[in-house]
Amino acid sequence: MIQLIKLSGDTILLNEDQIKYITFIPETKIFMMSGDYYLVKESGPEIINQIITFKRKLFPPMMNLQEVQNGGWM
C-alpha cells in the first residue's frame, strides 16, 4: 500500500494494485477500480515513485536492466 495525503490534509493508504487511472485537473485525482476516487496532494511522479519503492520491497530485482538486455536472463 502507498500513503498519500488528501487535499483535506487527511492521510490515506491506498492499495496500488486497485488504481485504475490518474488524472491531473490540476490537482491529482486517483480513480480506483471500485469507482471511488481521491484528490491528493502528491504529483504523478511522486505516486509512481511510491509504487515502485513499494513493489521493490515485495519483489526485489534479481537483475538490472543492462543484465537483461545483454542476455543475462538466459
Side-chain angles (χ1 to χ4, degrees):
M1 298 187 93
I2 59 172
Q3 181 174 315
L4 301 171
I5 301 171
K6 293 171 63 173
L7 293 183
S8 66
D10 295 334
T11 300
I12 58 172
L13 293 173
L14 287 182
N15 181 338
E16 77 292 339
D17 289 329
Q18 293 297 311
I19 294 174
K20 187 172 183 179
Y21 63 93
I22 300 173
T23 62
F24 307 97
I25 55 172
E27 54 278 309
T28 305
K29 188 173 185 179
I30 301 175
F31 291 86
M32 307 300 289
M33 299 295 264
S34 66
D36 294 337
Y37 68 87
Y38 300 95
L39 297 172
V40 298
K41 293 183 177 183
E42 290 79 5
S43 67
E46 289 173 310
I47 295 168
I48 291 168
N49 285 332
Q50 280 198 41
I51 292 170
I52 290 169
T53 300
F54 179 74
K55 294 288 189 181
R56 282 187 177 152
K57 289 178 185 176
L58 294 177
F59 308 106
M62 298 180 73
M63 287 186 239
N64 64 35
L65 180 58
Q66 183 150 1
E67 290 172 325
V68 172
Q69 289 173 338
N70 291 334
W73 55 276
M74 296 176 110

